[in-house]
Every structure is written in structure tokens, then in C-alpha cells.
Amino acid sequence: MPELPEVTALADFLNRRAAGLAVARVDPAAFYAMKTFDPPASALSGLTVVGAGHRGKFVTVDLGTVHLIFHLAKSGWLQWRDDLPTTPPRLGRGPLALRVRLENNSGWDLTEASTEKRLAVYIVADPEQVPGIAKLGPEPLDPAFDVAALAGIVAGRRKQLKGLLTEQTTIAGIGNAYSDEILHMAKLSPFKLADTLTAEETERLHAAIIAILTEAIDRSIGQEAATLKEEKRSGMRVHRRTGEACPVCGDTIREVSFASSALQYCPTCQTGGVPLADRRLSKFGIRD
């Protein structure tokens, strides 16, 4: 799933490619993706792309009087084309969810490879009209998100750090991948309860959030949309590195799997050398 660094880079990409150009037409290709219907997609024709930005994992495209906003979910992506096909896309065929054609016939497709169909598109006057945006927690790279702000968030929260970091109503933009990276840098167990953090651990967690996200954005900005996924994968130290050596201590990176996701961690760096139970095996009384 694209997280804060990738959506920041996608917004930068759209600013470089689309800002200042008028929209020729917008073609929805999958009804499930359209979460709003007033104004319709046809109302965007003739409007100029003022710029693009993001809120959490949402990409926002400012068209002056309205905003085109999309959330790529787990398996969605933006595919840019310098010369789009002249024929409008056929509804319900293939992975295409939405096509935006600009005045010079360039533009972008929003696609979703998964059968889950969670990609979402909104056309609204104000981004706060999108329910997911209205409920977002603070942006972690906002200057107001300091150590004191994080301390206030974790105080009294009987929630595991992995879940807290990925809870969008608590902190916006962090997902499965970067939460693994943040907890590894902070040397904290993903299962540690938030309200048990010491002041020093809270400072470490805050520093890791800033460092990991800033580093990832620095790597991603300037990339083409087509290369962002590989750039994300190449920068990971523990996420999806199960069985490899930890780049910090050399221990073997372990994994805990759940029904539809998994986390990776280093036992030496994060859990005092003790492997965590694999939740797939725990019902059989088997420990990893």
C-alpha cells in the first residue's frame, strides 16, 4: 500500500507533469471506485490542475473549484501515459478504475490489481468532505507533531505500538511497511503497549518516525510514478526481509503473520533476543 512517502512523491510527480494543464475529460471505468456523484466526473472537464498534495495516504488534486481525491488502498496505483488511447475506457473491464485525460492528451490511469476493490475516488469542494480525511490524526512531519504531541498520543493507550502507528485516526500516513522500519530503528517491540513507553523510549520513537519518513521521501521525490514501488522496496531494512540478516546487528529478521498481513522485526534489536509468537501457529500451541 502506498504510504506517506509514496503519496508525497506521487503528488510531486503530478505537480511536475500536470500542473497548469486543463482537464479534457475524466472517465470512470469502475463504478465501485467512485464514492461521490455530485459533482459528476464530467464537471471536471475544462478545469485547470492548480496543484497536487496529500493528506495521510490520500492524494489530492486541486482543480480550483473542486478537488479530485483518491486513495490507492493496498493494490492500487497511478500509471502515467504521455499519450493516452483515444477511445474511452470500457466500464468494468480489467484493472482500470479511472482515467484522467489532460488537454495535451497525456494523463493518468488509476488501476487496482486486487480483487478486493478498495481503491476510492472522490470529487468534492473541500477535502474535509472526504470521511477518511476528516477523521485523520496529525501528519507526522508537521512541525506541531513534536515529542510532547507523541507523548500525549501514547499516554493511556493500551494498544500495541504496531497497531497504534498504523491507526490513521491516531497518526496519518504510516502503514505496515514504514511502521516495521520505524519500530526497528527505535529498537521497540511491535507488541509493546503504547502506555508503557518511558520518556526516553517515546523520544526514540519520535526520532525514528521523523528519520524514516524523511529519508523515504528524500529517496522518492523526483522519481517517476513507475519507479516508486521499487524505490520503496529497495530502502527497506526489515520489512519483507524475513530470513535476511539485520543490517544493524546481523541477527536473522523474523516474521509474525496474521490473516491478511505480516510484520517483520529483529529479535536482537527489538525484543531482547526473544522471538515473538507467530500468530498463525499460536492456536496449535506452537511457538516460533
Side-chain angles (χ1 to χ4, degrees):
M1 176 184 288
E3 301 178 36
L4 188 148
E6 291 76 53
V7 295
T8 301
L10 285 174
D12 172 74
F13 174 80
L14 289 177
N15 279 324
R16 289 185 280 118
R17 292 297 194 97
L21 295 175
V23 174
R25 60 182 293 153
V26 175
D27 292 307
F31 282 123
Y32 77 86
M34 299 303 300
K35 305 304 181 186
T36 58
F37 300 96
D38 184 20
S42 58
L44 304 187
S45 297
L47 299 181
T48 298
V49 177
V50 177
H54 78 91
R55 282 296 317 277
K57 298 178 186 178
F58 293 83
V59 176
T60 64
V61 181
D62 184 355
L63 296 166
T65 55
V66 295
H67 291 78
L68 173 66
I69 296 176
F70 53 91
H71 189 293
L72 294 169
K74 188 174 182 178
S75 303
W77 199 245
L78 182 151
Q79 297 183 348
W80 179 268
R81 298 195 187 190
D82 290 325
D83 190 18
L84 284 167
T86 54
T87 353
R90 297 177 66 181
L91 284 170
R93 294 296 181 93
L96 183 62
L98 185 85
R99 172 167 291 163
V100 179
R101 184 187 304 275
L102 301 173
E103 60 181 317
N104 62 358
N105 209 44
S106 69
W108 68 91
D109 290 341
L110 297 182
T111 62
E112 186 169 22
S114 169
T115 56
E116 292 181 354
K117 305 305 180 189
R118 292 169 55 197
L119 186 148
V121 179
Y122 307 82
I123 300 171
V124 292
D126 183 343
E128 292 296 320
Q129 293 175 291
V130 176
I133 290 180
K135 296 175 184 177
L136 284 175
E139 293 279 343
L141 296 183
D142 188 314
F145 184 79
D146 55 14
V147 175
L150 180 59
I153 287 171
V154 301
R157 291 297 304 273
R158 298 290 294 174
K159 191 176 181 73
Q160 293 173 346
L161 289 177
K162 174 72 175 181
L164 185 85
L165 287 174
T166 57
E167 187 176 64
Q168 298 305 296
T169 54
T170 299
I171 302 172
I174 300 171
N176 191 36
Y178 289 109
S179 58
D180 282 352
E181 298 297 301
I182 287 165
L183 290 169
H184 177 251
M185 177 175 279
K187 299 186 181 299
L188 293 169
S189 168
F191 292 165
K192 185 177 179 63
L193 294 175
D195 66 354
T196 66
L197 287 174
T198 65
E200 189 271 336
E201 289 172 332
T202 302
E203 290 180 5
R204 287 207 322 257
L205 180 58
H206 181 268
I209 291 171
I210 303 305
I212 290 294
L213 295 179
T214 300
E215 176 188 288
I217 289 172
D218 288 345
R219 287 198 318 268
S220 301
I221 290 290
Q223 294 279 334
E224 297 297 298
T227 62
L228 273 173
K229 288 183 180 180
E230 184 53 40
E231 181 58 42
K232 178 180 181 177
R233 282 191 288 264
S234 69
M236 295 293 160
R237 296 174 177 88
V238 293
H239 183 70
R240 291 194 174 180
R241 303 286 189 189
T242 305
E244 297 181 22
C246 169
V248 175
C249 72
D251 194 0
T252 301
I253 295 168
R254 303 288 190 107
E255 177 175 308
V256 177
S257 296
F258 304 93
S260 59
S261 65
L263 65 82
Q264 288 81 38
Y265 69 100
C266 169
T268 295
C269 291
Q270 296 175 252
T271 60
V274 180
L276 300 170
D278 189 324
R279 299 306 172 88
R280 292 173 301 180
L281 307 177
S282 60
K283 66 178 179 179
F284 301 113
I286 299 172
R287 295 284 176 174
D288 179 17

